[in-house]
Amino acid sequence: TEIIPATLSEVGFGAHGRLFPRAFTITYDVYLTNGLGEGIILNEHGRTRLASGKSHGLVGEDNNGRPSVSGRIGFRRRAGGELGLSYYGGPYNSYRSEGVAIDVRRDVHLAALDLTTDLGPASLRGEMAFAWIDVPDDLREVFGERQWGFHLDAVVRLFRPRIRGLTDAVVNGVLRVERVDYNRGTFSSTSDPIGDEVTAVVTGVALRPVAGTVLKANYRHEWIRDLQGNAIVRRAGFQFGLATYF
């Protein structure tokens, strides 16, 4: 959610499909959409943040008249899980108005790799993403031009509780490792690494009373380094959540 601006809904159109070569299933998606806006840079967070470039309206106007392109291709094998490759790219700033150039075009590019598989009793799900952002010269170093992050979740079934009327209820144990680097690179004046990064480990339990619904209780521990690269600050806490489809 920090590198990839999920969940993201945009005006546009596209195509998707499925192929079945031998033992594999290949899925593909490709879309043309309005794209992200200038909130990537001009936001209240004081850093480059793709999620802040999302349109606030359900049907928003494109701010530059040039669509962004996104797509994913996935390779699935019944016994081996799924591997997916994704891309998102296009201009994000208002560089053109009524057909007249008013600024230098600045693009954002995002590439991701996702994986779902089983390893013994554990179900693994992870994703790694890299972002490249054209940042104005006077904002570089403070606002990151390169970002990356990943997460890896491991879920193990602990037991099936006996709950009247819920024959498929299950309690899972969860372990998650994640990291996000908002600003890759070094300071030009000192050659010291730029900070602004967070690493976290999460453990917890999850009750799935029915398919598509989950109750979670997690303990999260974070290691945070600020932009200047000062000593790491630790933060921890409990999280409780509910997710469902309806």
Side-chain angles (χ1 to χ4, degrees), residues 26-90:
I26 298 177
T27 59
Y28 62 89
D29 303 81
V30 59
Y31 299 95
L32 292 176
T33 58
N34 277 353
L36 299 170
E38 293 181 304
I40 289 177
I41 300 296
L42 304 177
N43 59 62
E44 68 277 13
H45 297 277
R47 63 157 66 103
T48 302
R49 187 170 185 267
L50 270 61
S52 296
K54 295 188 288 188
S55 173
H56 297 293
L58 292 176
V59 183
E61 181 182 0
D62 192 350
N63 67 325
N64 50 43
R66 181 63 63 89
S68 293
V69 60
S70 60
R72 179 183 183 273
I73 183 168
F75 304 88
R76 173 180 289 274
R77 191 171 183 178
R78 180 175 300 178
E82 182 175 12
L83 178 68
L85 301 171
S86 307
Y87 171 79
Y88 182 101

Side-chain angles (χ1 to χ4, degrees), residues 223-242:
W223 292 263
I224 305 169
R225 189 181 293 276
D226 65 12
L227 183 71
Q228 290 75 29
N230 294 315
I232 291 176
V233 174
R234 293 187 179 186
R235 183 173 63 180
F238 294 94
Q239 300 172 317
F240 302 93
L242 167 67

Side-chain angles (χ1 to χ4, degrees), residues 85-220:
L85 301 171
S86 307
Y87 171 79
Y88 182 101
Y92 70 88
N93 67 320
S94 301
Y95 70 95
R96 190 169 56 183
S97 177
E98 303 297 333
V100 178
I102 59 175
D103 195 3
V104 176
R105 170 173 167 168
R106 304 191 187 281
D107 288 12
V108 56
H109 301 279
L110 179 65
L113 173 71
D114 63 88
L115 172 68
T116 302
T117 189
D118 292 329
L119 184 62
S123 296
L124 302 181
R125 181 176 181 179
E127 189 165 29
M128 178 176 287
F130 297 86
W132 298 266
I133 307 97
D134 290 339
V135 176
D137 293 342
D138 57 342
L139 296 179
R140 289 178 179 172
E141 294 189 357
V142 176
F143 288 80
E145 298 179 275
R146 296 179 296 160
Q147 298 181 330
W148 79 280
F150 82 92
H151 77 86
L152 179 63
D153 296 340
V155 179
V156 178
R157 178 182 299 177
L158 299 180
F159 64 94
R160 288 189 175 274
R162 294 183 179 180
I163 303 177
R164 187 173 181 179
L166 300 176
T167 58
D168 295 327
V170 61
V171 174
N172 294 323
V174 180
L175 175 64
R176 177 184 177 96
V177 180
E178 60 184 36
R179 176 177 171 82
V180 59
D181 187 343
Y182 294 100
N183 198 334
R184 297 178 60 206
T186 59
F187 290 107
S188 59
S189 57
T190 63
S191 298
D192 292 333
I194 300 174
D196 204 5
E197 55 197 40
V198 181
T199 303
V201 175
V202 184
T203 59
V205 293
L207 167 64
R208 290 188 176 273
V210 295
T213 298
V214 60
L215 289 160
K216 289 185 176 181
N218 295 333
Y219 174 75
R220 178 183 179 88

